[in-house]
Amino acid sequence: MPVDVVIAGGGPNGLMLAAELGLAGIRALVLEREPELVPRHRANGLIGQVVRLLDRRGLYQRLSGSPGPPEPVPAFVFGGFPLPLAELDDNPLYALGVPQHRVEQVLEERAVELGAEVRRGHELTGLSQDDDSVTAEVAGPDGEYRLTTRFLVGADGGRSTTRKLLSIGFPGVTRENVVSRVAHVTVPQELLDERSGGLDLPGYGVVPPFLHHRTERGVVTFAPWPDRPWMVSTMEWDPDADDQAPMTLEELRASVRRVLGVDVPFQALPDGHLRRVVGGNTRVAERYRDRRVLLVGDSAHVHSALGGPGLNLGLQDAVNLGWKLAAELRGWAPPGLLDTYEPERRPLAERVAMHTQAQSALLSPGPEITALRELFAELLRDPGTVQHLANTMSGADVRYDLGDGHPLVGRWAPDLLLDAPTGPVRLAELTATGRPLLLGAPDPLADAARGWADRVDVVTAKTDAPAMLLRPDGYVAWASDSPAPDPASLTEALTRWFGPTR
């Protein structure tokens, strides 16, 4: 019997997709080549709209360990510049400082709770497809075998086997001369700057914490995490770096010495992480779908990690794809629904590629870059520029083309506090099921939506916001401010996004 969906890759994006499918009653089988989940130095946290997305799936509290909703951060960085976000009237940038292995652990637990199967030590090696199914060739601990599935999704990273098997082009830019080095370290107490929390280095001055600190020779970052090992990292533009020899602490010290011009006597932790990365890629797949095979996350796009946009982009890919794929499998998807995945998500990957390359350019060495940074610092005195960058980095400026009409249509639904008979309820408490929602609808609209009761929930709680129809990914598909809205316009939106009535 065919599996509903096979997901190649058990990282955050593949696991998030499995959980989203599970919410819709679709069983996913996840193939992950790593035999077990082990802590690794990858993403240090989550930045942007994805934090609120996890809140709306009931996962934020699991990850944060705190009972309350997320709050926007008072400051962040762009290209090595501090962004004073607390000064904004509408701060859209949220952050959650949780290492990637913990994100994967929580998402795997959730996916399994919802019926997914995760096979560790199993890897996709080949595939073929016809009009009705995909045959996946898999290598596992006990040998090779085949699986038949209705759809296959590649969530297997920047070197995606899935993408290569489909011969999907991956155009973009490769930079060979950028070298990043990082280690978990301890720092002598006397070098800590009490005022900023950064490093106060004799002969140099203060290196602020959690900021890409640029000089004419490179970049140093000091990250004194409150609940994790401290980290020192560097970026240099060195075309002759040796990528074959093992990374050492002395190599990192020498890199810091070149960038800052002074020695920093830090020590590696006994099990401290030492890592070197030479070069970098910015690439976006030519297409995200080949009939019954789709790409999600890093298999569809890779870019610099500056600003931490990777999981913000990839996890939202998974949520956008999840409900559409489930609708197709459950038989109520309107024609062309699955085809909307790529045109909605690919432009956002191109936008992330743009702003991460811009940040890399602002950190590069050279007097002309220093001049550019002086000009950029002047622009950042305008709160409008800070707002624009915050919206860009968070994804708050995203607006899908979901039809003409109300200004909320196509945008992320605002956080709402609704007045229910049992008391105030947050919108995030209503979206944890992953079902479409009709909010604040008067009786004629609720009556019009009855034909979609098997797939759309009508919420009668009162709100000061307009009546809204929300897609499962949190975006507004229809809205009306009218006290007597036209049921026909709602019926059109329901049919367009959630198919005809049964």
Side-chain angles (χ1 to χ4, degrees):
M1 182 176 179
V3 178
D4 287 332
V5 180
V6 168
I7 300 171
N13 302 316
L15 294 169
M16 187 73 186
L17 177 60
E20 288 294 298
L21 291 168
L23 284 173
I26 301 299
R27 177 179 172 271
L29 172 59
V30 181
L31 305 173
E32 170 52 48
R33 68 179 179 181
E34 297 294 337
E36 59 184 12
L37 177 60
V38 294
R40 292 187 180 167
H41 179 76
R42 290 179 179 168
N44 291 308
L46 299 157
I47 299 292
Q49 203 85 327
V50 68
V51 178
R52 289 199 281 179
L53 173 65
L54 292 170
D55 181 43
R56 291 190 181 179
R57 288 296 187 263
L59 294 168
Y60 175 79
Q61 289 76 16
R62 282 177 135 183
L63 286 163
S64 68
S66 61
E71 297 287 343
V73 291
F76 201 63
V77 293
F78 183 90
F81 289 93
L83 296 179
L85 302 175
E87 301 173 7
L88 300 179
D89 293 334
D90 179 19
N91 179 3
L93 199 60
Y94 291 72
L96 179 58
V98 178
Q100 181 169 324
H101 72 268
R102 175 58 180 160
V103 175
E104 292 181 8
Q105 181 183 37
V106 169
L107 291 180
E108 181 171 341
E109 290 171 356
R110 182 58 173 155
V112 172
E113 287 170 6
L114 293 168
E117 179 187 353
V118 180
R119 292 185 186 175
R120 291 195 168 273
H122 296 249
E123 181 179 8
L124 178 74
T125 58
L127 66 85
S128 60
Q129 59 179 317
D130 55 31
D131 292 340
D132 301 312
S133 64
V134 182
T135 299
E137 298 174 18
V138 183
D142 300 322
E144 298 182 353
Y145 61 96
R146 291 187 175 187
L147 287 170
T148 301
T149 178
R150 296 175 67 186
F151 286 93
L152 187 144
V153 179
D156 44 353
R159 298 175 180 174
S160 170
T161 297
T162 310
R163 188 188 65 244
K164 293 173 182 176
L165 289 170
L166 296 170
S167 299
I168 293 177
F170 206 36
V173 177
T174 296
R175 299 188 67 180
E176 302 286 357
N177 64 338
V178 180
V179 185
S180 300
R181 300 175 175 90
V182 63
H184 292 148
V185 301
T186 59
V187 177
Q189 190 69 29
E190 62 269 19
L191 295 183
L192 299 180
D193 180 51
E194 292 185 3
R195 182 176 180 182
S196 70
L199 295 175
D200 188 358
L201 304 176
Y204 182 81
V206 174
V207 176
F210 303 108
L211 185 69
H212 295 105
H213 184 70
R214 176 191 178 270
T215 75
E216 287 286 358
R217 298 170 295 278
V219 177
V220 167
T221 303
F222 172 56
W225 303 106
D227 54 354
R228 280 180 276 161
W230 291 4
M231 187 178 75
V232 169
S233 64
T234 64
M235 288 176 59
E236 293 184 272
W237 281 256
D238 179 5
D240 299 320
D242 182 3
D243 193 27
Q244 303 303 314
M247 168 75 174
T248 65
L249 184 64
E250 182 50 44
E251 180 182 335
L252 180 61
R253 283 181 180 153
S255 179
V256 171
R257 189 182 310 122
R258 288 191 296 269
V259 174
L260 299 180
V262 297
D263 286 308
V264 182
F266 50 76
Q267 296 292 326
L269 295 173
D271 55 350
H273 175 83
L274 291 166
R275 187 182 183 210
R276 179 202 311 110
V277 177
V278 178
N281 289 290
T282 301
R283 300 181 177 276
V284 179
E286 288 182 339
R287 63 188 191 277
Y288 282 19
R289 182 183 181 187
D290 185 320
R291 294 185 290 165
R292 290 185 167 269
V293 184
L294 300 104
L295 303 177
V296 71
D298 290 355
S299 64
H301 42 71
V302 293
H303 44 76
S304 166
L306 289 170
L311 290 177
N312 190 27
L313 183 62
L315 291 176
Q316 291 194 78
D317 285 351
V319 174
N320 184 290
L321 175 60
W323 73 273
K324 296 172 181 177
L325 192 54
E328 188 76 23
L329 288 163
R330 293 185 69 85
W332 57 255
L337 178 65
L338 199 52
D339 290 330
T340 66
Y341 166 60
E342 179 178 332
E344 287 186 359
R345 296 307 299 172
R346 194 174 186 279
L348 304 184
E350 292 173 337
R351 187 159 178 78
V352 168
M354 175 273 291
H355 77 68
T356 54
Q357 288 185 96
Q359 291 185 72
S360 296
L362 285 168
L363 290 170
S364 301
E368 70 279 14
I369 302 300
T370 300
L372 176 62
R373 289 180 65 84
E374 290 175 2
L375 174 61
F376 203 81
E378 293 179 9
L379 296 175
L380 286 175
R381 294 172 193 160
D382 178 5
T385 302
V386 178
Q387 184 76 63
H388 182 87
L389 291 176
N391 290 344
T392 299
M393 296 183 74
S394 68
D397 59 348
V398 172
R399 183 173 187 181
Y400 296 139
D401 182 12
L402 305 189
D404 299 327
H406 198 281
L408 280 176
V409 172
R411 294 197 178 278
W412 173 264
D415 290 329
L416 299 173
L417 190 65
L418 298 98
D419 184 13
T422 56
V425 59
R426 295 173 56 230
L427 176 60
E429 297 175 57
L430 302 173
T431 56
T433 61
R435 284 171 60 85
L437 297 178
L438 179 60
L439 299 175
D443 289 342
L445 295 183
D447 290 342
R450 272 193 193 137
W452 288 267
D454 61 318
R455 70 206 86 148
V456 178
D457 290 338
V458 177
V459 179
T460 57
K462 296 178 181 178
T463 172
D464 293 332
M468 290 185 291
L469 176 66
L470 307 189
R471 304 192 323 183
D473 58 357
Y475 284 83
V476 180
W478 173 90
S480 175
D481 292 298
S482 171
D486 178 15
S489 65
L490 173 62
T491 298
E492 181 181 355
L494 286 163
T495 304
R496 176 183 179 186
W497 292 107
F498 310 121
T501 59
R502 288 293 173 97

